[in-house]
Each structure stands twice: as structure tokens, then as C-alpha cells.
Amino acid sequence: MKLADYLFACIAEQGVKHIFLVVGGGAMHLNESLAREKRIEFVCNSHEQASAICAENYAKATDNLGCALVTTGPGGTNAVTGLAGAWLDSTPVLFISGQVKRADRMYRPDGTPLGVRQMGPQEIDIVSVVKPLTKYAVTVLDPNEIRYHIEKALHLARSGRPGPVWLDIPLDVQSAQIDPSTLAGFDPAELPAPPSADVRSFAAEVIERLNASERPLLMVGNGVRLAHAVAEMNELRRLAELPTAVTWVASDLVSSNDPLFAGRPGSLAARGANFAIQNCDFLLMIGTRMDNSLTGFAPRNLARAAWKAMVDVDPAELAKLDGALGNKIVADAGAFLRELLAQKKKIEPKDRLTWRERVACWQQRYPLITGEHRKPGSQVSIYHLSEVLSQELTPEDCIVSGSSGSGIEIFIFSYPSRAGQRVYHTAGLGAMGFGLPASIGVSLAKGRRRTICVDGDGGFQFNIQELETVARLNLPLKFFILNNDGYASIRSSQKGWFGKSTIGAHATTGLTVPDLSKIAASYGITSYVIEDQRNLSGDVRKVLDMPGPVVVDVHVIPEEIRGPRVTSVQLPDGRFVSKPMEDLWPFLPRDEFRENMIVPPLED
């Protein structure tokens, strides 16, 4: 059979039902074979970056594998942004690229380079480009090795710490005839054994420390979901009555109204979340890499009075916290949680009602969304919009946020998640243009389910061409576009550092944004305008009840404040120092701040 036919049959057998692509001559045989594979629906995008982002979020929504197909040269390079998002979020995505035929490559038959920049048309050594962002990247030169390469790629994409993989296939290899019965497969035993850890002993020590604690806190990240261990996590925290904090990527793992919800701590956070983590005496971190956005820029000060333990499948993520964290174990989050539950009889009942009530009190005393945000003023507060959407959406709805600017820094920051909902974004990369194609991938993965996207007016332009894909497929996507006249986040940072906005942030500094209603109309999509928040709930309900896709132009407060957040202060000697995580701007009165601290605060 034809190699390209064999490849897509293998992918179909993995349960992948959609592949996202932009066709090209360098992938012509791959394109043709995909069209013939009836178990897979092909989805044609207008840009390869969109195909990559669609595939990334399709993988997240299915908890399986995403797949993008691109052509040689610019087809591959255009997909790199989506690839980077999958790499940072540990998302299993298979990228397949076409390549010039073997005789036209910039390599001699023995594999040594010719030293030229290009031989074949549109030729780029894409494997060298993407190697740092993949778990496996290879150009398939021998048709009889296709089974080995696809099996190895699929295994690596979904094992250990998941991530993207890339197969680059020359034209004459795509069209080659192969006999599947003679092909050699991949044996996972070829790979180095993962680091071994004494999970049983470590779990016993964690339970011993938990039993001795008065103010325990559990911190969970997306690694728990990747390990398919959400049920085990919930069983543990309810069994031990553990207040639970979550990362932004895992914001939907624990609903905001859960009695044990402790918030989402970090450098941009609700005060209560940071008070909880900085005052605990036991901190167990599972499936979160604890980067600077969570620990601040002085990780040694994180939960400084607590016994701290971190569980991660990637030893490098643990090693980066040397000096700030003494108790580390390289282990799959699911395996560790199951071992804790296997030893659950050792968990001693203990009255920690005072601690749990204090954590809950912090949530209530310092809400992110206040009466000030709800005032029926002339423009919409994004904080209030997040609250209204949370109230109006159903547990079955999918929520996608733009991954930069106001979409992430205010909307996702303040969104009160509800049980059953999934929230999708790629905050680690922060790419503009994420929201629109991500919504396509999520909706298709969920059987064309209604999906709500909240994105900035600037970021929405980056993949605006995908409205054509949305219209063609008639997907039930509701785009709430935060119209703040360009790049509000950039304006804010420019004013903070330089006193005023100077370049590329809005109409007076060289950036303009088109009329969204006219853009929607050009694609045959319904539009709606929300000018103020006098009847925000009614406006949102009206949009949600409209059939098909809708683009909503939401006139938001252009310079809405992002906070509370960690910031720097200037000392009398002129030096700038970052405040500790518990002391967020806008700063509380010193007496009020200190009354919230069980652990003695650091000196100002």
C-alpha cells in the first residue's frame, strides 16, 4: 500500500477524528491520502499557525492526540508558534510535514550536508528548526521505517511528560509503496529507563508530615490532568479536607465555589490565594512546574514556614528549585496520588476547622470582582463580564481565552470556574492569535459543542482569517471581543515604565483595529455590539441564544487595572526590590496586612 495511506490509517486507529491542515505541493500525497481516510474529518484552515493551535487544543479537549498536517518550507515554519504552545503546556500533538524529494535535499546520500542553504523548492531543514520544541523530530528517509517512526512518535507524545512530536516526510517517501506485514515496529524498551523513585516511602513521609501539620495546603497543576488522575486528586483532598490551590492552566480542576477552593496564587492573584500559600505549614505540590509566575522571583520565600514537597515527572523542573525546595520526587502525578490513596488509612483525622475557615474567609474578604466592577457605567468591566459569563454559561459549555493581554490578565484571572466546565488557554507562551483557532479545535473535539471565546481586539486580528473556517463549518462559537482600542496591556506597561504610551499600542501611537461588525459581515457571520453594562446579563443571554457563530464587539474600559499583583518598590537608597507574594499591590494598610499573616511578614 501507499505509505501515506498507511500513515493516516495508523493515526485513525489512535482515535483521532479530525486533522487540521493547509494543503501544499510538498505534502500532495499526504493530502490525498488524508482525503481518502474516511475515519478522519479533515479541517482546512487558512494559515498553518491556526492549524497548529487547532490541533493543540483538540488534544487538550479530547485528552488524547492532536494532529496538524503542513507542507514544506513556510508550511512548517508557520506552525512553530502552535508547536511552542504544545511544548510548554506538555500537550501531545503530532505534526506531519511534507518535504522535497530525497534527491533534492541539501544532503548527500550518506547524510552529510552539502553546505548550501537550499536545493529543492521551498526546502527548509524543518527538523533542525523544531528539535528544541519536540520530544521526537525526524525526517523519514527509508519508507520501510515508517512504522517504527510513527509508533515511536506516538509513544513519546503521550508518555512521561507529554509533548509534541514531528515527522517530516519527503515527497517520494510519501508516495512509496510498502508492505505493512514486513515493517519493523518500535519497542519502548529501547528508551532509557525513567528515573526510579521510592514512591511508597515518599508517600509515607508526606502523610506523616500532613498528620503533624496545622495549616496544610495542596497545590495542583495540569500535570494531574495529563496523568488522568483528577478523580484521585479529588478523593485525596476531600478525604484529608485539604484546602486546594490551583494553577492557571488547571483553573478548572477545582471550581471556585468548592468549599476547599483556596484560589489561584501567583504574581497576579487574589489576595486570599497568596495569604493561604504564604501562611501554610505544609505545602504539597503535584503536577505543577512552579515557575516564576507562581513562586515570584524569590522562590526561597514561597511558603517559607512550611514543610514543602513537590512531585513532578520531569526532573529538570524539580532541579530548577534547588535551594528553595528540599523534598522532591520524580514521579508521575497519577502514580503518586494512587500511592497516597493506597496508604490513606495512615491519614489521621484532625480538627483543622479554624484553618479551613480562615482560607474561606480570605476568599470572601478579598474577592477579585467587587461592587465597583458591577457599576452600570459607560463601558464594560472585564471583571464583571467574567462574572456574568460564569453565571450564564452551563457546565457543558467550553471556555477559551486569548492567551495574552486582557483576555488572560483580567478575564481568565478573574473568571469564577464552575464544576464541569473546561477552560482553555496557553498562558505559558502568551501568543496573540490563540483564541479563534483554539475555539475551532475545542468545539470540534467536543462534537461541535457551543464554545465561548473571550479575546482582545488586537490579538483577535492575528488569525482573523479563520473566521472563514468558522463560517464554512457553521460552528456554534461565540466570540466576545474586548474592544479597548488596541493593545491595552502594552499601553499599561509603557505607561508604567516610560510615563506614557509611545508606540504601536493604539490609534494615536500607530496601531488601528478595524470595525469588528464589518469584519464579521464580510465572512457572513452575525455580529452584536455591547456598549455598556446596564443590561450585561441580558446582552450575554441574547448572544448565547443566537444560532451559529457570533462576533460580539464588547466596549470595555480601555485602561482597566490589573490587580492585585506583585510589584516592586523603590527603597530610600534608590534600589528597586520586589515585594513578597503575600504583599500585593494595591498595598493594604499595614495593620490590615499584618493581621492576615500567621507567619511573621518579611521586613518591608
Side-chain angles (χ1 to χ4, degrees):
M1 67 187 301
K2 190 175 180 177
L3 181 144
D5 292 341
Y6 173 83
L7 176 66
F8 289 108
C10 290
I11 295 170
E13 289 166 5
Q14 302 301 309
V16 175
K17 300 186 185 304
H18 297 83
I19 291 180
F20 304 89
L21 76 155
V22 175
V23 299
M28 64 171 69
H29 295 287
L30 295 167
N31 297 334
E32 181 68 17
S33 293
L34 175 57
R36 288 201 300 268
E37 177 50 74
K38 300 307 179 186
R39 291 172 290 179
I40 298 175
E41 177 183 350
F42 61 85
V43 180
C44 295
N45 298 107
S46 297
H47 196 288
E48 291 90 354
Q49 185 185 105
S51 297
I53 294 172
C54 284
E56 174 199 359
N57 289 277
Y58 183 89
K60 287 179 176 177
T62 58
D63 289 324
N64 186 20
L65 182 78
C67 186
L69 171 61
V70 300
T71 191
T72 187
T77 57
N78 281 346
V80 170
T81 296
L83 170 74
W87 173 250
L88 293 177
D89 275 8
S90 308
T91 307
V93 182
L94 171 63
F95 289 83
I96 304 170
S97 60
Q99 185 56 272
V100 301
K101 62 182 185 291
R102 287 171 288 182
D104 294 340
R105 294 174 71 242
M106 60 181 85
Y107 293 90
R108 298 183 178 89
D110 64 359
T112 58
L114 292 171
V116 298
R117 295 189 179 186
Q118 186 183 60
M119 287 288 290
Q122 293 191 309
E123 182 190 11
I124 288 289
D125 181 5
I126 194 65
V127 166
S128 295
V129 173
V130 303
K131 265 188 182 297
L133 299 174
T134 54
K135 294 187 69 178
Y136 186 61
V138 65
T139 299
V140 181
L141 297 175
D142 183 347
N144 290 314
E145 293 179 355
I146 184 61
R147 178 185 169 191
Y148 176 88
H149 289 304
I150 184 62
E151 288 182 357
K152 184 173 183 179
L154 292 172
H155 173 80
L156 288 171
R158 294 181 288 194
S159 62
R161 181 176 182 176
V165 292
W166 194 294
L167 296 184
D168 185 46
I169 308 180
L171 267 170
D172 56 326
V173 176
Q174 299 170 28
S175 62
Q177 293 294 311
I178 58 173
D179 179 357
S181 66
T182 65
L183 301 181
F186 165 72
D187 183 356
E190 298 174 19
L191 299 175
S196 58
D198 187 354
V199 175
R200 180 177 297 179
S201 296
F202 193 77
E205 182 182 2
V206 167
I207 292 173
E208 181 181 348
R209 294 287 185 164
L210 171 62
N211 290 338
S213 71
E214 300 293 336
R215 305 185 304 277
L217 187 71
L218 176 65
M219 178 84 182
V220 295
N222 196 50
V224 171
R225 178 162 31 224
L226 292 171
H228 306 286
V230 176
E232 290 88 341
M233 180 271 294
N234 281 323
E235 182 180 351
L236 172 69
R237 68 187 188 86
R238 288 168 181 153
L239 171 71
E241 296 184 295
L242 281 171
T244 305
V246 295
T247 65
W248 283 33
V249 181
S251 63
D252 49 16
L253 287 185
V254 181
S255 65
S256 297
N257 61 0
D258 188 290
L260 293 171
F261 179 64
R264 301 192 286 266
S267 56
L268 181 64
R271 296 185 192 277
N274 282 14
F275 281 141
I277 200 167
Q278 293 299 86
N279 281 300
C280 70
D281 65 359
F282 167 98
L283 178 61
L284 175 60
M285 297 160 278
I286 305 179
T288 167
R289 53 195 172 102
M290 300 302 293
D291 60 13
N292 288 342
S293 65
L294 287 173
T295 66
F297 291 93
R300 65 186 179 279
N301 291 328
L302 177 75
R304 56 188 174 273
W307 182 87
K308 291 171 283 191
M310 181 171 167
V311 179
D312 199 285
V313 75
D314 186 344
E317 297 291 357
L318 296 166
K320 77 176 189 290
L321 292 172
D322 282 347
L325 183 65
N327 304 286
K328 301 172 287 189
I329 184 168
V330 180
D332 173 80
F336 183 73
L337 283 164
R338 286 187 288 274
E339 181 56 39
L340 282 177
L341 291 173
Q343 300 186 39
K344 63 184 180 182
K345 291 183 179 179
K346 297 179 182 178
I347 299 176
E348 299 171 358
K350 192 166 185 176
D351 182 6
R352 299 189 184 94
L353 180 60
T354 300
W355 169 240
R356 294 196 303 275
E357 287 180 340
R358 185 146 195 185
V359 172
C361 180
W362 279 323
Q363 298 292 310
Q364 296 164 7
R365 185 178 183 182
Y366 300 110
L368 283 173
I369 305 167
T370 67
E372 188 67 26
H373 297 126
R374 301 184 185 101
K375 286 184 176 179
S378 59
Q379 293 169 308
V380 176
S381 164
I382 304 170
Y383 291 88
H384 186 32
L385 176 64
S386 75
E387 178 180 51
V388 169
L389 282 171
S390 177
Q391 293 166 350
E392 297 296 337
L393 298 181
T394 70
E396 289 72 36
D397 284 316
C398 300
I399 299 95
V400 174
S401 167
S403 291
S404 59
S406 299
I408 197 78
E409 294 173 0
I410 302 182
F411 175 71
I412 284 298
F413 168 53
S414 61
Y415 183 77
S417 60
R418 294 177 59 189
Q421 288 179 343
R422 278 290 302 270
V423 180
Y424 303 87
H425 59 82
T426 308
L429 183 63
M432 298 176 77
F434 173 92
L436 202 167
S439 302
I440 296 171
V442 168
S443 182
L444 289 172
K446 294 296 187 180
R448 297 174 178 255
R449 184 179 298 180
R450 186 173 72 179
T451 299
I452 288 75
C453 174
V454 178
D455 204 353
D457 55 351
F460 195 60
Q461 301 303 316
F462 271 53
N463 276 306
I464 195 74
Q465 76 285 337
E466 297 310 314
L467 285 178
E468 170 58 31
T469 310
V470 173
R472 182 188 341 120
L473 299 176
N474 193 30
L475 294 174
L477 308 181
K478 317 301 179 185
F479 298 101
F480 289 83
I481 308 305
L482 309 174
N483 185 340
N484 52 28
D485 189 28
Y487 300 165
S489 179
I490 298 299
R491 291 199 299 270
S492 176
S493 63
Q494 287 178 349
K495 288 177 181 178
W497 284 102
F498 311 116
K500 64 178 181 178
S501 183
T502 56
I503 182 171
H506 52 22
T508 60
T509 59
L511 175 80
T512 55
V513 178
D515 186 318
L516 290 170
S517 295
K518 292 179 179 179
I519 292 289
S522 71
Y523 287 101
I525 293 175
T526 301
S527 64
Y528 189 87
V529 179
I530 301 178
E531 295 183 345
D532 55 49
Q533 55 186 30
R534 287 176 295 179
N535 185 28
L536 189 56
S537 294
D539 286 329
V540 167
R541 280 195 296 272
K542 189 179 295 185
V543 170
L544 295 177
D545 289 340
M546 292 178 177
V550 184
V551 172
V552 188
D553 184 354
V554 187
H555 294 195
V556 300
I557 300 169
E559 313 298 335
E560 190 155 29
I561 294 173
R562 294 156 169 78
R565 65 177 187 263
V566 172
T567 190
S568 298
V569 294
Q570 189 171 17
L571 301 179
D573 62 6
R575 290 181 299 124
F576 283 87
V577 295
S578 293
K579 297 288 279 185
M581 281 182 59
E582 64 268 27
D583 198 2
L584 299 173
W585 179 91
F587 301 118
L588 294 174
R590 295 297 84 185
D591 288 346
E592 181 180 349
F593 166 66
R594 290 187 176 91
E595 76 179 31
N596 282 292
M597 292 302 296
I598 303 168
V599 174
L602 294 173
E603 292 298 322
D604 291 340

